[in-house]
Amino acid sequence: MRILIAEDEKDLNTLLKKRLENQKYSVDACFDGEEAIDYLAVTEYDAVILDIMMPKKNGLQVLKYIRGQKRHTQVLLLTAKDSIEDRVTGLDAGADDYLVKPFAFDELLARIRVMLRKNSSAETKTNIVTAADLTVDLNTQRVFRGDKEISLSSREFSILRYLCMNKGIVLSREKIEEHIWNYDYAGGSNVVDVYIRYLRKKIDEGFTPKLIHTVRGAGYVLREEE
């Protein structure tokens, strides 16, 4: 899942980016509203964390841009003011949630999980995804096939999570790359194919049915064989 952080407090920005990346999210970060709009103009994000008080354009102006583009991107506002008026203004403008500074990082993670579940299937709303004997816990990041626990790298789990949250939907290579890698990444053109191969070796090799399928000319899909 790809997240954009727009926060002008550099220490907080850096901390949030690092800790979200440790949770296997792909993260881009910027420090003012104009830069945030530049990112949003060229990239589709699953969630955006917006500080309300930013230079150049504030968080509410960025939120107005997002909703003006008819996007359903989940938006969480950060505010230093704990007033009903500020909260109502943000929610009325189209925010999905808000947090008052200072906040606990675990609470931010919980809010992000709730937001990401809103556009997911009914199954992923429980944070447990199953397909045949595959079980993926999106909270604990533990993966099992039957009784066997499978160890995945950070990138492998990120791709599997994206496939799970779109179970049964064919995802193009471009779509997967856009949601998993941030702008800091400089990899090869076949990077998605490489990681899908790694996943298949761990998830499908030695197990039936096979769950990760190639749809020729379209991309990849997680589904049980018909």
Side-chain angles (χ1 to χ4, degrees):
M1 302 290 103
R2 193 165 181 178
I3 296 174
L4 175 65
I5 300 170
E7 166 61 65
D8 66 321
E9 294 181 36
K10 288 185 168 52
D11 289 343
L12 178 58
N13 189 310
T14 300
L15 178 63
L16 290 178
K17 186 175 190 295
K18 181 178 180 180
R19 296 194 68 175
L20 286 172
E21 287 174 339
N22 287 342
Q23 293 295 315
K24 302 181 174 62
Y25 292 108
S26 175
V27 184
D28 292 312
C30 59
F31 301 98
D32 65 66
E34 285 187 358
E35 192 177 8
I37 289 175
D38 288 341
Y39 274 97
L40 289 160
V42 296
T43 304
E44 181 181 344
Y45 290 95
D46 299 287
V48 180
I49 300 172
L50 287 177
D51 181 31
I52 290 183
M53 300 300 293
M54 287 189 295
K56 298 184 180 180
K57 289 187 182 296
N58 64 38
L60 294 177
Q61 290 173 303
V62 178
L63 175 59
K64 182 178 180 180
Y65 167 82
I66 294 171
R67 297 305 180 228
Q69 298 297 307
K70 307 300 182 184
R71 296 185 184 182
H72 300 294
T73 307
Q74 299 294 303
V75 176
L76 184 148
L77 291 177
L78 301 180
T79 175
K81 299 178 181 179
D82 186 14
S83 74
I84 293 176
E85 183 179 353
D86 288 329
R87 283 177 275 170
V88 169
T89 299
L91 294 172
D92 281 349
D96 298 281
D97 204 350
Y98 69 92
L99 267 178
V100 178
K101 300 178 186 177
F103 53 83
F105 183 71
D106 285 344
E107 182 178 5
L108 174 64
L109 284 179
R111 301 290 185 97
I112 290 172
R113 288 194 295 267
V114 169
M115 290 196 307
L116 293 177
R117 288 201 302 267
K118 288 181 180 179
N119 292 334
S120 303
S121 68
E123 183 180 16
T124 58
K125 293 184 188 299
T126 66
N127 281 324
I128 303 290
V129 180
T130 60
D133 60 345
L134 173 71
T135 301
V136 181
D137 189 320
L138 303 177
N139 270 359
T140 65
Q141 302 181 3
R142 298 180 72 185
V143 178
F144 293 86
R145 278 215 72 165
D147 295 328
K148 180 182 178 182
E149 184 164 7
I150 298 170
S151 177
L152 299 180
S153 70
S154 175
R155 195 69 69 191
E156 289 165 351
F157 182 82
S158 294
I159 295 174
L160 181 62
R161 174 168 55 193
Y162 188 48
L163 290 170
C164 286
M165 295 185 76
N166 294 277
K167 190 172 73 168
I169 299 173
V170 178
L171 300 171
S172 68
R173 291 169 176 83
E174 293 77 15
K175 193 81 168 176
I176 294 172
E177 186 171 356
E178 180 179 282
H179 280 260
I180 302 301
W181 280 272
N182 62 20
Y183 283 114
D184 296 331
Y185 179 76
S189 59
N190 67 335
V191 63
V192 173
D193 299 325
V194 169
Y195 274 97
I196 290 291
R197 194 158 60 243
Y198 293 160
L199 270 178
R200 278 183 168 145
K201 185 174 181 63
K202 294 182 177 182
I203 297 296
D204 279 343
E205 193 170 287
F207 297 98
T208 54
K210 306 305 180 188
L211 298 174
I212 300 175
H213 303 277
T214 301
V215 179
R216 189 176 298 276
Y220 299 103
V221 60
L222 177 74
R223 68 185 177 206
E224 298 179 44
E225 292 177 328
E226 298 179 357

